[in-house]
Structures are given as C-alpha cells and as structure tokens.
Amino acid sequence: MQAADLPDTETLRLAALHSLEVLDTPPDEAFEQLAELARDIFEVPIALVSLVDEHRQWFKSHLGLDACETHRDFSFCAHAVYQGKALVIEDTFKDLRFADNPLVLGDPHIRFYAGYPLRPVDDQIIGTLCIIDRAPRHFTEREHRLLERLAAQVEALFRQHKRETELLRTAERFEALFSKSATAKIRIGRDGLITAINPFALRLLGYEAEELIGRNIAVLTPPEIAAGHDRFIERYLAGGEPTVIGRGREVEALHKKGFRVPVHLAINAIHDTHDNVVEFLGVLTDLTSIYAANRRIVKEQGLLKVLHQGITDYQALMSGEGLWEFLMEALKELTDSDYALIGEVLPTDTTNALKIHAITDLSWSESSHQLMDRLRRGDMMLTNADTLLGRVFAHGEVVMTDDVYGHRSKGGFPHGHPRLDNYLGVPILSDDVVIGMFAIANSKQPLNQALIDWLQPFTDTCALLINLYRQMAEREQVAKALAAARDQAEEANQAKSEFLSSMSHELRTPLNAIIGFAQLLEKGRRDPLSEKQLRQVQQIEKSGQHLLGLINEILDLARIESGYLALSLEPISVEEVLDDACATLEANVEAAGMRLKRAPLAAKWQVLADYTRTKQVLLNLLSNAIKYNCARGVIEIGVVPEGDALKISVTDTGPGIARERQSELFEPFNRLDAEHGSIEGTGIGLAITRKLVLRMQGHIGVESAPGLGATFWFTLPQTEARLEHRASGDGSPRLSAGSRRKKVLYVEDNPANQRLMQEIIEELETVELEVVSSAELALEILRHARPDLIILDIDLPGMNGFQALQTLRQNPMLDGLRVLALSANATPQDIEKGRAAGFDEYLTKPLDIDKLTKVLEEHLHVVPGVTP
C-alpha cells in the first residue's frame, strides 16, 4: 500500500479547509441530498463528500458507508488531493498503490473509485466528491463531466456554508455591541418611532423598555425641540440637506422624571445593500456611528428563491391580500397542486379557529360561491376541530392522505363538490404554538415526509409573515388608541382652559370692587379716615391683593403647563435685575427684622433670559427666604459663574429641610406640612419658579440640612451679546390741564363696579362720568352726544363689548374716539384679543386705580384735582 505524498501547498490547503469551519459538523440536508443524487446518477452504493485533514479524511456526507472518517494513510482522496485532478481507479486490484489497501481488502471492499477535487476556497483542494463501487467498472467521459458538475455544486454548498457562518457571527457580534454596550443607543424607524433601546440607555433615561418601544423619539427630547424631530427625518428621507442626521451635537435628553440630561447626540442613517435608508441609530455618547443589527439568517433553497424575493417586497407586505394570494399561488406551483389555502389560527375560549387569508375557488354553485367569498373576506371562520382542516389548525397535526374519502376525519362533502384525490395539511408554528396552517389538494407529486421537509422554508416564511401581519395589526390598534387618547387629552386641556378663564373672570369681578373701594377709602382726600380705619382698610386691600396674587399664581402655573406663557429671551444685566428685586422686597426684609447681604458682583455679567420672569424667580426665592427664616435671620444673595452659565443663589438661616423631603419642594400645592402653620401660601410658588427656570434653559436646585438653613439656586445661560438699555421711570407723558371738563361714558352692568368707577372719577375734578348698563343704551346716547372717552366692559348683557366696539368703529361720526376695555378676562390671550380688536387700552379687574388714573391723564390730557 502506498500512502499519498503531501502537496507543495499543504499549509495553504489546510488553512483553506479549516477556514470553512465545517469539520465535525452535524449532517446537512443539502449535502445529503447531493450525495444521494450522485448515488442515483452513477448507480453506486457509496457516495462521499470527503475532506482531507492533516491526519485523517472526514466525510461531510457518507451515504452507504458507516464510518464518518478514516486515516489519511490509506485515503484514496489524499491521492486526488496530491495530484490536483480527478482520480479514477477502475479496478483497485490492478493498481499497485491500492491493491493491498485495507479499504480494498476489507470493508467496504472498494473495487472502483472516482473522486473529483473540491476547490471552494482560494483554489485550494480541500477534498473530493467521490463515488465508490464494490465491483470494477468503466468510467466514461460523460460520467467524468457529470461528476465534475456535481463537484461544482458541492463547492457552492461549502461557499454558502462559509457565508452563513460568517453572517451569523457578524449578527451575534453586532447584537452584543448594541445590547451589552456601555453606551446609550436607540434604534429609530423611518417613521420616527423607537424600535429598540439598550439597557444602558434605559438606565440613563429612567425608563423600562416597554414604555418607549413604539413611541416617537421626540418623547426623549425637551418640548421646545420635540416637534422638529419628525421634520428632520422627513427632510433627510426626501433628499434635503441634513441638519441633525450624520452630524453630532450637544443636546439635552429628557429623563422620565422630567429633568434634562446633557448628552452628545449622533444620529446615523442605516442603509441596506441597495443604499436605501431602513432605519436610524441614535448614539447618546461621543462615539461614532454603530449599527446594531439583528439579522435573521434564512437558509437559501434554490426552488424557493423566487418566492423569497417576492415576499421581501415592502409594497406587497402592505397590500396584505395580494401577498397571501401570491403565496398561495406559489404553493400550488411548487407542489403542482390544483387547490391550496393559507390561513391564520386565532385562539378562542374553547378551541382554535381558522381565519383563511387565501383559498383556491372550490365553488360549484351560487350558494357555495357566496360561502367562498365570506371565507376570503374573513367574515367567516372555521371552528370544527374534527375535519381534515380542523385536525391541523385545532390540534397542530400534520394530516396527509391519498384517500380523502376514506379518511376518518373527511367530514361530509356536499353534492357537486370538486373531487379531491389527495390532501396535505401542515401547521405553521411559532415557538411551538400553532399560529396558522396551509393545505394543498390534488397534488401531482407524491405526498410524503420528504415533500414536507422540502417545504420547510416556505412554512418558516409563512410563520414570519403571520407574526409580522399581527404586529402590523397591533401597531394599527395602538395608533388608533393613541389618537383617541390624544383627542381626549386635547378636550381635557380645552376644558381646563375654559375653566381657568371662567374662574379668572368670576373671581376678579368681586375683587375689583373689594380692592378698588379699599384704595378709594385709603386715598380719599375729602373724607380722610381715622388711623384705626386706615389700618382696617389697608388690611382689606392687603387681603384682596393676597387673594389676587394666589389667583395669578394658579393661572401662571396653568399657562406654563399648557405652553401658553410667552417669554422674551434677551441679554439682561444680572446686577440690574438683582437691584430691582431687592428694592421691591426691601421693606419686607426690614419689617421682618432681617438682614439682606449681597456682595458686589465680580463682573458686569449678563444672562440670556426674560427680565420680568427672572425678577419673578428672584422675588419667589427671596419671599420664601423671608417667610421661612428665623427671627432676626440673615438672607444672603450670591452670584458665581458655572461653566457657560451663571449660578444665582439665595441662602437663609431658617430651620432647613431634610434631604428626604427636598424632592417634594417643587411639587405644586406641596408645602411640606407648612399649611398647618401660620405662614400663608398656596405651595405653587416653587413649582412656578422651577418651570420658569427650565423654560429659560436653566436649572434649579436646593441644598439644605435640618438646622443649617437652606440655599436655593438657579442657573441661566451667560451671554456677551450687546445689552439694550432699559428705560427708567414709568414713561408717562407730562400733561397739562384742559380747558373744559372731559366727559367719560362708562358701560358696565355690575352695580358695585359702577359705584367704584363713580368714586374714582369723583377724585378727578376735571372729569365728568356718565354710567349706562348696556351697550345698546350707550350706542343710543352716542347718536346725540359724543364723549371724550368710553370705558367699555367686555361681558355685557345683550351686545358684548367686542360687538359694541365693532359698531362704534363703523360710524364715521365717531372717528378717533378713544375706547378703553375693562374686563375680568385677564389672560394674555384675552389682552391680545382685545388689542387686536381695536381697543386703545385693555385694563383688567381688579382695577389698579393708579394705573387707571395715568391712562385717563394720557388720553384725556387732564391733571388730577385741577379744575379748568
């Protein structure tokens, strides 16, 4: 016996063999089928796919041979590897190299051998496709060509195995990079919805996965930029210049609890092999793009390749019925059958039911035709578990018969029903659960297990599509539910706005009389009050102003929450706003017996903010420091730079706040049990303060401990932009006395408000007041006499203030007549509406007498207390 020599390229050859990663793998159906085909073509008992390793030859397929490997020393294939071409031994007894070979003298008694080298990788021979006979035979040139072609198919199978192994490893590696990464990553669909989010991102943003999957990515962004996200994606998909996608930038992500997390966001578009965008990947770190992929590896089958290509068409998936019809027709063609159906299994309380998606027309009469239409439309489902179909969809059995009419579950066939010669029903499983079935009848092919195995890729595809079909249906239901919830929320928000508007009006109207008359009594020069009466009146006004402040706070909070609060962000001087706030509360600090400490600023700092709202934030924090400080306490204001922002702090020497309760401070209406004490308040001041700071792109917090006082701080973005000079003073013009008494017509239906206005005007000796209770009466008066000014209530019986103003402006005889609105409707929207309607001024109730006096001075050119 002569062992084969080693080829010169043995090292490269072994490297190529091992790169396939196929040695010692389980049997593969494709290799087995090809070896079986070789046995049938050449009519031999043994066909092998042989791989020559360093010390052995191992068989990927060994049909007709019990052993799965032999030693290389007496390997026939090793000789073919060495000589690098086909090896044919027509009679081993006549070849000195093999006459005494153990495989010739013993099992399997080889007398004929033909092996063709396999070169699937880098043109290196890794083994052979060989056929073996136990008797000598002549090997023709035609047989040589056939063996060569079969060997080419084996090479293709090895290359396919290598690709699938590499793809699987790549998919596993990318999945690990996504789910186990120490970087926050989010997958976003073309529609802007979150499709996956890794644990790191969930921990970073405080969510559970089920709370985000299927929601728009905007849920993780601040409100002021959320609406723009979908437009970024739409513009990018339409071919527009990218502004976010593909470009990293510093942004803020919105945590589940409402606070903002600064991150570096990079959104990368993910493309398929055809350069189409399939999804987007958001990386909330400073890393470059990474694509977390989870690819499903589907075994390629030559006979089903066209089918697989068809079902990957996105439009076919969306059309639904067309897809199922396509699959049914493909099933008929693949199995050479006359009839077929594909259905989905739906569980019921008692058993499974079958919803048919596609079925060949079996109708033979008008009534049967109507029945088929109902089945196709899904108006009718099958539930009988003891029929040929029922055994499949209800019990998950494979039913196969060539004797339909003799089968125990045949049921009854109506007269005229087309004849069925054979039948095959196959359940479609997903995780061992029956989710559907397909069936064929009158197949021209034999019905056997080999056919079922051959159709397995088709069965798996149907399972995938049914699950996808269900997911799409569930997504549609979720979309409808979200739309309904959105509509309900919008209705609730509208109801809240209407309630707040009504509450504002109803509360401000009586407060107008309370505060107004208190101010008149306090300022009255004709009948001055005693010192005791003055204190009492001042208490009435103070209480009224306190109630008005509470109403304003509630409305402020509502406006902020609804997004109606408009801010004017501009460069403002920190020193100026601090001076303004401290001056406002200077008397309160002194009255409380406290000291206000404020160190000089280290620089002329500016911040980008709304001046009025910044002052409101400072007043809220300083007022709390006064309220909750200890007797003869100290309040200290500090300003220090912090990165690109300025940090402004207000520190008191009060009792302090326990750490475990500090998170409750910014909750609306939560006063940390102070409501049981003597200090007044609603508990929404800090809630408003926090929302205002966040709206101005800042942050707010507290540092405190029991017995050590508290420090409330907030930050605002620092800016070096040019600061516009803020005008000082009230801007009122210097006025001179007129030559006659000015006439004012006041239209108001509320007697208390009528009397209040009369009392106010009495203090203006140069003004004469006429009061009427309706707009209709006022218009009648205007036909005969023209006043110098009209004060018009909005909510009047009959014709309202807006309608009256419109009538006035249409009368050319009243051109240039000044008309002031006076109403308890005091929201910014109400004021803007009034100015847009054409009122010269829009005054709100409770009425500020000083402001009214200045307005009258401006429009009537009169001086209080001066008689012309």
Side-chain angles (χ1 to χ4, degrees):
M1 181 189 74
Q2 179 181 339
D5 293 333
L6 296 178
D8 295 337
T9 60
E10 178 68 4
T11 300
L12 295 176
R13 190 192 69 79
L14 288 174
L17 170 62
H18 294 154
S19 73
L20 291 174
E21 300 184 55
V22 73
L23 291 171
D24 301 311
T25 58
D28 190 299
E29 183 67 23
F31 287 97
E32 298 297 305
Q33 289 180 355
L34 201 145
E36 183 66 36
L37 182 61
R39 286 208 309 179
D40 291 345
I41 290 174
F42 296 105
E43 298 180 347
V44 295
I46 301 173
L48 307 174
V49 177
S50 174
L51 303 177
V52 179
D53 200 1
E54 184 177 6
H55 300 296
R56 61 170 178 163
Q57 67 174 356
W58 180 83
F59 306 123
K60 178 60 181 172
S61 179
H62 52 96
L63 297 183
L65 186 66
D66 292 336
C68 62
E69 66 177 60
T70 64
H71 200 279
R72 181 170 176 172
D73 288 346
F74 42 86
S75 165
F76 282 62
C77 298
H79 288 270
V81 169
Y82 172 72
Q83 68 183 29
K85 61 183 180 179
L87 174 65
V88 178
I89 312 297
E90 295 185 340
D91 188 347
T92 56
F93 285 176
K94 297 179 180 180
D95 192 315
L96 295 178
R97 292 173 298 174
F98 304 104
D100 58 347
N101 190 295
L103 301 178
V104 174
L105 301 179
D107 285 337
H109 298 287
I110 300 174
R111 289 296 302 279
F112 169 81
Y113 171 88
Y116 198 92
L118 301 174
R119 295 181 172 89
V121 181
D122 299 334
D123 201 35
Q124 296 295 323
I125 301 174
I126 64 168
T128 68
L129 169 65
C130 63
I131 55 175
I132 296 172
D133 205 341
R134 295 186 176 89
R137 60 184 287 177
H138 176 62
F139 200 62
T140 67
E141 183 63 28
R142 176 179 175 278
E143 290 175 323
H144 189 282
R145 290 195 300 273
L146 287 174
L147 185 62
E148 179 182 0
R149 292 176 183 175
L150 288 175
Q153 293 300 310
V154 175
E155 291 174 349
L157 288 176
F158 276 126
R159 285 191 288 270
Q160 178 177 315
H161 172 84
K162 189 176 190 312
R163 285 196 300 270
E164 291 179 352
T165 301
E166 291 172 349
L167 285 172
L168 181 60
R169 184 176 293 110
T170 299
E172 291 173 347
R173 182 166 59 251
F174 275 97
E175 177 60 27
L177 285 173
F178 180 80
S179 61
K180 299 179 180 179
S181 173
T183 304
K185 299 176 183 177
I186 304 174
R187 292 173 61 182
I188 310 160
R190 290 168 58 95
D191 52 6
L193 302 184
I194 298 172
T195 59
I197 181 166
N198 72 353
F200 190 92
L202 292 172
R203 291 192 298 271
L204 176 67
L205 301 174
Y207 284 93
E208 298 294 333
E210 57 270 16
E211 295 178 291
L212 292 177
I213 301 301
R215 297 183 68 184
N216 194 288
I217 187 64
V219 72
L220 301 178
T221 62
E224 62 271 15
I225 64 173
H229 268 262
D230 285 344
R231 291 197 296 272
F232 295 150
I233 292 177
E234 291 171 3
R235 184 165 56 247
Y236 181 83
L237 293 176
E241 182 67 22
T243 57
V244 176
I245 299 169
R247 301 181 178 184
R249 67 175 186 176
E250 294 293 327
V251 298
E252 287 181 323
L254 194 62
H255 193 277
K256 178 183 177 182
K257 293 183 178 179
F259 61 84
R260 302 180 183 213
V261 182
V263 297
H264 180 275
L265 173 65
I267 299 181
N268 302 282
I270 307 300
H271 300 76
D272 60 15
T273 55
H274 303 291
D275 203 32
N276 297 316
V277 176
V278 294
E279 66 175 345
F280 300 91
L281 179 64
V283 183
L284 277 69
T285 64
D286 57 358
L287 300 177
T288 56
S289 70
I290 186 170
Y291 175 37
N294 181 19
R295 295 190 178 102
R296 182 181 297 271
I297 307 302
V298 180
K299 183 180 180 181
E300 294 183 3
Q301 293 287 337
L303 292 175
L304 297 177
K305 183 177 294 185
V306 174
L307 175 62
H308 280 267
Q309 290 174 346
I311 64 176
T312 55
D313 179 55
Y314 184 72
Q315 296 301 323
L317 283 173
M318 295 301 294
S319 65
E321 292 183 4
L323 173 65
W324 300 115
E325 288 291 332
F326 170 77
L327 290 175
M328 183 192 69
E329 292 299 326
L331 177 62
K332 287 172 56 181
E333 183 176 348
L334 289 171
T335 59
D336 198 14
S337 300
D338 293 336
Y339 308 112
L341 69 82
I342 298 176
E344 178 185 1
V345 171
L346 303 176
T348 67
D349 294 337
T350 56
T351 183
N352 286 341
L354 181 66
K355 178 181 180 181
I356 293 178
H357 286 301
I359 184 171
T360 309
D361 192 351
L362 284 163
S363 61
W364 63 94
S365 64
E366 181 59 29
S367 60
S368 64
H369 181 72
Q370 294 176 359
L371 176 65
M372 298 299 297
D373 284 344
R374 291 183 62 193
L375 287 172
R376 286 194 191 95
R377 292 194 305 266
D379 296 340
M380 175 181 176
M381 291 192 293
L382 304 180
T383 57
N384 191 341
D386 295 323
T387 63
L388 290 171
L389 292 173
R391 302 305 302 177
V392 183
F393 70 74
H395 302 286
E397 300 176 6
V398 175
V399 178
M400 181 168 50
T401 181
D402 290 323
D403 183 11
V404 174
Y405 299 95
H407 195 277
R408 60 185 177 85
S409 298
K410 68 179 185 302
F413 292 96
H415 178 71
H417 190 286
R419 179 173 178 78
L420 303 181
D421 299 321
N422 56 30
Y423 167 83
L424 171 64
V426 178
I428 300 171
L429 306 178
S430 176
D431 294 330
D432 297 327
V433 176
V434 180
I435 62 171
M437 70 163 289
F438 66 80
I440 57 174
N442 292 5
S443 172
K444 307 302 185 294
Q445 299 181 20
L447 301 183
N448 51 35
Q449 186 61 43
L451 176 62
I452 296 174
D453 294 339
W454 186 68
L455 287 172
Q456 189 60 48
F458 178 86
T459 309
D460 293 340
T461 300
C462 288
L464 176 65
L465 289 173
I466 290 175
N467 281 324
L468 180 58
Y469 179 83
R470 289 178 173 180
Q471 291 171 7
M472 293 170 67
E474 290 174 0
R475 180 178 296 178
E476 184 176 353
Q477 290 297 322
V478 170
K480 290 180 179 178
L482 288 175
R486 179 201 61 211
D487 294 343
Q488 186 177 5
E490 290 176 354
E491 292 175 2
N493 189 57
Q494 179 63 27
K496 183 184 75 172
S497 298
E498 293 174 358
F499 168 75
L500 290 173
S501 177
S502 173
M503 184 185 73
S504 171
H505 180 273
E506 295 301 325
L507 293 177
R508 286 173 181 271
T509 297
L511 277 176
N512 181 54
I514 294 171
I515 296 176
F517 279 113
Q519 290 177 347
L520 282 174
L521 290 172
E522 182 182 359
K523 299 176 183 293
R525 294 190 297 272
R526 297 179 181 177
D527 299 303
L529 302 177
S530 66
E531 184 176 342
K532 179 179 180 182
Q533 290 172 328
L534 184 61
R535 287 197 306 271
Q536 293 170 342
V537 168
Q538 289 173 342
Q539 185 59 43
I540 293 173
E541 182 186 1
K542 179 181 178 182
S543 297
Q545 294 289 356
H546 177 67
L547 180 56
L548 180 61
L550 298 182
I551 295 170
N552 288 337
E553 281 189 344
I554 294 172
L555 293 177
D556 255 357
L557 181 62
R559 285 197 294 268
I560 296 171
E561 290 180 341
S562 62
Y564 288 143
L565 183 68
L567 296 178
S568 175
L569 299 182
E570 59 184 355
I572 65 172
S573 166
V574 175
E575 186 171 19
E576 181 178 343
V577 73
L578 285 174
D579 289 342
D580 198 350
C582 291
T584 301
L585 293 179
E586 182 179 2
N588 301 64
V589 174
E590 292 179 358
M594 298 178 187
R595 286 188 299 123
L596 179 62
K597 296 173 62 177
R598 177 180 155 204
L601 298 187
K604 293 187 178 298
W605 285 315
Q606 298 173 193
V607 291
L608 190 65
D610 183 293
Y611 185 91
T612 301
R613 296 305 177 179
T614 305
K615 179 182 174 182
Q616 183 179 350
V617 168
L618 282 167
L619 290 177
N620 283 347
L621 296 182
L622 288 169
S623 296
N624 279 354
I626 297 171
K627 282 183 186 179
Y628 299 105
N629 214 333
C630 63
R632 294 183 298 280
V634 176
I635 301 171
E636 185 172 356
I637 300 175
V639 183
V640 295
E642 188 175 87
D644 295 332
L646 280 182
K647 183 176 182 180
I648 304 171
S649 60
V650 176
T651 302
D652 63 56
T653 53
I657 307 157
R659 179 179 296 276
E660 61 271 14
R661 303 212 63 184
Q662 290 177 12
S663 61
E664 304 175 40
L665 283 169
F666 299 99
E667 296 176 358
F669 307 105
N670 190 340
R671 299 185 60 205
L672 273 61
D673 304 326
E675 60 270 18
H676 303 301
S678 60
I679 301 176
E680 297 179 339
T682 61
I684 62 174
L686 284 178
I688 292 174
T689 300
R690 177 180 178 274
K691 292 180 182 293
L692 288 175
V693 170
L694 292 179
R695 286 287 304 276
M696 292 188 291
Q697 309 300 315
H699 299 280
I700 189 168
V702 61
E703 298 167 4
S704 181
L708 298 179
T711 296
F712 285 85
W713 58 265
F714 66 98
T715 64
L716 290 173
Q718 196 172 174
T719 181
E720 296 180 359
R722 179 175 173 268
L723 181 65
E724 296 294 336
H725 178 69
R726 301 184 65 86
S728 60
D730 58 14
S732 300
R734 299 293 296 176
L735 305 174
S736 60
S739 60
R740 62 177 179 84
R741 288 171 63 85
K742 304 292 185 177
K743 293 183 179 180
V744 174
L745 177 62
Y746 180 38
V747 187
E748 169 64 72
D749 63 315
N750 186 296
N753 290 335
Q754 293 176 353
R755 182 58 185 163
L756 173 63
M757 185 63 69
Q758 291 169 343
E759 296 285 349
I760 295 173
I761 297 300
E762 283 181 5
E763 297 294 322
L764 302 174
E765 298 178 358
T766 59
V767 178
E768 179 181 331
L769 180 69
E770 182 176 1
V771 179
V772 294
S773 60
S774 70
E776 289 83 357
L777 288 174
L779 292 174
E780 183 64 27
I781 292 174
L782 291 172
R783 291 177 56 191
H784 307 286
R786 170 177 172 144
D788 295 286
L789 182 140
I790 297 176
I791 302 175
L792 187 59
D793 186 32
I794 297 296
D795 294 300
L796 293 169
M799 180 183 293
N800 65 34
F802 288 109
Q803 295 168 333
L805 177 68
Q806 185 178 10
T807 303
L808 286 171
R809 296 307 188 203
Q810 292 173 352
N811 188 344
M813 300 298 295
L814 301 176
D815 185 44
L817 177 62
R818 300 296 179 92
V819 183
L820 312 184
L822 179 58
S823 175
N825 299 325
T827 68
Q829 291 78 16
D830 295 325
I831 297 172
E832 181 61 30
K833 180 181 177 182
R835 289 173 176 168
F839 284 105
D840 294 287
E841 295 284 350
Y842 192 100
L843 305 176
T844 62
K845 301 175 183 177
L847 187 59
D848 186 328
I849 295 178
D850 290 338
K851 182 175 181 181
L852 173 62
T853 302
K854 290 181 180 179
V855 169
L856 292 177
E857 291 172 5
E858 178 180 349
H859 290 286
L860 296 176
H861 305 289
V862 298
V863 177
V866 177
T867 303

